[in-house]
Amino acid sequence: MKIGIVCPYSWDVPGGVQFHIRDLAEHLIGLGHEVSVLAPADDDTPLPPFVVPAGRAVPVPYNGSVARLNFGFLSAARVRRWLHEGTFDVIHIHEPTTPSLGLLTCWAAQGPIVATFHTSNPRSRVMLAAYPILQPALEKISARIAVSEYARRTLVEHLGGDAVVIPNGVDVGFFDKAEPKAEWQGQTLGFIGRIDEPRKGLPVLMKALPAILAARPDARLLVAGRGDEEEAVATLPPGMRSRVEFLGMVSDEDKARLLRSVDVYVAPNTGGESFGIILVEAMSAGAAVLASDLDAFAQVLDQGAAGELFANEDADALAEAAIRLLGDPERRDELRVRGSAHVRRFDWSTVAADILAVYETVTDGAASVATDERSGVGLRARFGLTRE
């Protein structure tokens, strides 16, 4: 099958949607499909062979974060050229409502279109206001996928219609087989995310850290991600700042090793999450997970059976749970076992098969419509015009 996938966000700025698209494309290629990904990127950006650059992206505030999007005449021309040269059997657009390549592709494309909605934002006035503009493009979509029940709910409440829920995928084996790193082991908490993005929750974790270190003096916090490191520890007492180790941006391999090494992975995110891919990666690596009780996180953690939850933005509750887990290796082992079993449903072998089933449904439907239109019989039957 020839599959065209559209990424809305800049390829060279790491993010969950980009990783999802990359891993999906690589898995589909591994199964023998022909895949091309169109993504915002400068022409000189190093890209995998299956990614086609659509020009430079610009930063735009979006869903409590800053997304790098691509929208304009040059982008529209590149979309049309990509579609013309690709002759795809199916086009898979991610986040078609963002002002980026997905929306441009919806306007320009013909044939079967599948759309995946990643965003969970139940009070988006912008999406409600933009609906009249989006409607003609959205009506061309043949099938809709939501990565979680909360992303599906956002779609239903703002745009109408419905979607099948297919979660984000993870290469479980990649994380499960990672080798721990000795210097990252021993009473360690882990955090991965953008340091200076408040909704990722590092300030909540920093507020909890003094209580954690008072109870567990040997504990350390390992932080991977970009941002202002000095500002991140500014609220900590000077004597405790050495207990926080900043690793900067890490490779996929080191991310897996970090998750494999820490005693507890902490996800203190405060909102704007529709899924929680980092939780799945942490469980895949065998980490005991402690996360804020966002609806999306609770769903990924099987309502607390596969990882512990604390009250969102409650630093005291976070500290209490972290202290308890650091001092209870049996509980950590229990969470690892449950998490490792639970995470199998998110493996790409399962997720990609579900996505391929959607592709096959819309392409079979398009072929059926084409046959009907050539014969005229099926078309008349669908509209009640069959002669007796």
Side-chain angles (χ1 to χ4, degrees):
M1 187 180 293
K2 294 187 70 176
I3 302 164
I5 302 177
V6 182
C7 176
Y9 307 134
S10 185
W11 192 264
D12 57 351
V13 178
V17 175
Q18 295 93 315
F19 292 149
H20 173 97
I21 292 170
R22 179 200 63 189
D23 293 348
L24 172 61
E26 291 177 347
H27 191 85
L28 292 174
I29 291 169
L31 293 175
H33 299 282
E34 187 176 336
V35 180
S36 176
V37 174
L38 184 69
D42 291 336
D43 291 336
D44 58 354
T45 299
L47 297 171
F50 55 82
V51 176
V52 175
R56 178 174 298 176
V58 296
V60 176
Y62 182 71
N63 195 31
S65 181
V66 175
R68 299 185 65 83
L69 308 175
N70 185 296
F71 198 82
F73 292 113
L74 174 61
S75 303
R78 294 196 178 191
V79 166
R80 289 193 297 270
R81 184 173 65 190
W82 178 74
L83 290 170
H84 175 73
E85 294 176 352
T87 61
F88 302 111
D89 297 311
V90 63
I91 298 161
H92 188 172
I93 297 171
H94 290 257
E95 298 287 47
T97 61
T98 61
S100 191
L101 297 177
L103 187 55
L104 293 173
T105 305
C106 267
W107 283 332
Q110 302 295 325
I113 299 175
V114 173
T116 289
F117 295 81
H118 296 261
T119 301
S120 174
N121 189 359
R123 295 176 297 277
S124 177
R125 295 179 181 178
V126 173
M127 193 179 291
L128 287 170
Y131 178 70
I133 300 172
L134 299 172
Q135 186 178 12
L138 295 175
E139 287 177 347
K140 297 175 69 176
I141 295 171
S142 309
R144 302 176 178 190
I145 296 170
V147 299
S148 69
E149 178 57 31
Y150 307 99
R152 188 195 73 83
R153 190 180 303 166
T154 296
L155 168 64
V156 171
E157 291 177 355
H158 292 86
L159 304 176
D162 208 342
V164 59
V165 175
I166 301 177
N168 285 308
V170 165
D171 184 351
V172 172
F174 174 79
F175 290 92
D176 181 51
K177 295 174 184 176
E179 289 293 329
K181 203 169 182 177
E183 56 264 41
W184 291 342
Q185 292 182 298
Q187 291 289 288
T188 50
L189 303 170
F191 171 91
I192 299 174
R194 290 183 289 276
I195 293 171
D196 48 8
E197 188 172 329
R199 73 183 181 96
K200 295 302 180 183
L202 186 58
V204 179
L205 180 50
M206 288 296 180
K207 188 176 179 180
L209 201 56
I212 296 171
L213 293 174
R216 311 293 305 183
D218 294 336
R220 290 180 296 148
L221 172 62
L222 307 178
V223 177
R226 65 176 70 189
D228 190 325
E229 298 174 5
E230 291 186 5
E231 183 179 346
V233 296
T235 60
L236 287 178
M240 291 184 175
R241 293 175 188 176
S242 63
R243 308 307 296 170
V244 181
E245 183 177 347
F246 290 96
L247 308 176
M249 294 295 295
V250 295
S251 65
D252 289 344
E253 291 74 15
D254 277 343
K255 177 170 73 169
R257 296 186 71 184
L258 175 63
L259 293 172
R260 190 76 173 159
S261 302
V262 297
D263 291 285
V264 180
Y265 179 77
V266 184
N269 309 50
T270 62
E273 306 292 341
S274 65
F275 184 70
I277 194 70
I278 187 62
L279 306 186
V280 181
E281 292 172 341
M283 286 188 288
S284 299
V289 174
L290 172 62
S292 56
D293 62 353
L294 301 176
D295 286 345
F297 283 6
Q299 183 179 23
V300 169
L301 294 176
D302 197 17
Q303 305 304 319
E308 292 210 356
L309 298 165
F310 67 90
N312 185 24
E313 298 190 66
D314 188 335
D316 292 337
L318 191 167
E320 181 182 345
I323 292 166
R324 186 175 64 251
L325 284 173
L326 287 172
D328 190 346
E330 291 183 1
R331 174 59 176 162
R332 296 200 305 269
D333 288 343
E334 180 185 1
L335 290 176
R336 290 189 185 101
V337 170
R338 290 184 178 181
S340 296
H342 177 65
V343 82
R344 294 294 167 182
R345 70 190 64 190
F346 303 109
D347 189 70
W348 272 116
S349 60
T350 299
V351 173
D354 290 343
I355 293 173
L356 277 171
V358 176
Y359 292 170
E360 290 165 0
T361 297
V362 299
T363 54
D364 289 347
S368 176
V369 168
T371 300
D372 290 346
E373 290 176 348
R374 284 194 297 270
S375 67
V377 175
L379 189 62
R380 288 194 301 272
R382 257 201 307 278
F383 287 94
L385 300 176
T386 305
R387 294 174 182 168
E388 295 293 338

